[in-house]
Amino acid sequence: MKNLPKKIRSKKLNSRVDLTAMVSVSFLLIIFFMVVGELSKPKGMEFGKPNCIDEYPRTGCYMHAERRVMTLLLDDNNKIITYTGLLFVPIDAPKEVQYGKDGIRKKLLERNKKVLEYSAQLGKPQNGLIVIIKPSKKSSYGNLVDILDEMKITGINSYSVVDYYTSEESKLLASN
């Protein structure tokens, strides 16, 4: 018999995986998701909350910002009721105005001018009027669009549309 060639056995190599890169990527992913989780939490802003602490906030608490806030209550039959400040101690008493340049636009421009003058005295000349628009369920969509147009025309950038009425505001709308 001839010499048969011997079977050559392959050498077994030690298989070793370097996990250094995997650990680095894992830590980067953990940090990424921690940052995204923190940034995605909803943030709230206090709006119109008094800075003072008083047992009787209706009598002893005064906010400088309440001079800047004008509320527009929209109701049916093209009715707008405006007041400035807080309803229980208003700076400008509730008053019914009409749409158009001689009605709501004139009122907004006058109030914005007063607010800008007052803010300039406080050293904050850029702080203009803040308008809170509250359409009732009886008001039409067209009335809301008209008011938003007036905000654009008058150059008032700080406004908010709110669907919440206080009980005093509901009584005010019912009485008019």
Side-chain angles (χ1 to χ4, degrees):
M1 261 184 135
K2 290 184 171 178
N3 286 341
L4 293 171
K6 291 184 180 180
K7 285 188 178 178
I8 300 175
R9 294 191 180 230
S10 61
K11 287 186 179 180
K12 295 206 176 186
L13 299 174
N14 281 342
S15 59
R16 215 181 109 185
V17 178
D18 186 14
L19 295 177
T20 308
M22 182 68 82
V23 171
S24 297
V25 170
S26 298
F27 278 116
L28 286 173
L29 284 172
I30 289 170
I31 292 170
F32 172 76
F33 285 113
M34 286 174 61
V35 169
V36 168
E38 188 63 32
L39 293 178
S40 66
K41 288 181 183 174
K43 305 279 190 278
M45 183 175 82
E46 297 290 331
F47 188 70
K49 186 176 178 184
N51 290 332
C52 60
I53 299 171
D54 195 352
E55 289 182 30
Y56 306 102
R58 293 182 181 216
T59 58
C61 187
Y62 176 74
M63 298 183 301
H64 291 289
E66 72 186 24
R67 289 178 178 260
R68 294 181 58 202
V69 178
M70 181 179 200
T71 305
L72 306 178
L73 305 174
L74 307 181
D75 205 13
D76 61 345
N77 299 327
N78 297 330
K79 189 187 327 180
I80 306 172
I81 298 174
T82 67
Y83 65 90
T84 304
L86 304 172
L87 188 56
F88 48 84
V89 280
I91 293 169
D92 289 337
K95 181 180 177 184
E96 187 173 336
V97 295
Q98 300 297 319
Y99 288 91
K101 68 177 185 176
D102 293 328
I104 190 65
R105 187 177 309 161
K106 183 178 177 185
K107 183 96 169 152
L108 287 169
L109 289 170
E110 288 172 358
R111 188 67 210 163
N112 195 32
K113 183 179 177 186
K114 287 180 186 177
V115 167
L116 288 172
E117 289 171 0
Y118 176 74
S119 295
Q121 291 173 356
L122 294 176
K124 300 177 181 176
Q126 73 279 8
N127 288 349
L129 184 63
I130 299 170
V131 179
I132 300 174
I133 304 166
K134 295 186 174 186
S136 71
K137 292 183 179 179
K138 297 177 185 177
S139 69
S140 70
Y141 181 73
N143 289 345
L144 180 61
V145 171
D146 291 342
I147 286 298
L148 294 176
D149 287 343
E150 293 295 338
M151 296 296 115
K152 184 72 172 170
I153 292 168
T154 57
I156 297 172
N157 296 325
S158 298
Y159 61 89
S160 177
V161 179
V162 180
D163 63 349
Y164 173 76
Y165 276 92
T166 63
S167 59
E168 292 92 5
E169 289 170 337
S170 298
K171 290 175 188 173
L172 180 65
L173 283 176
S175 68
N176 286 332

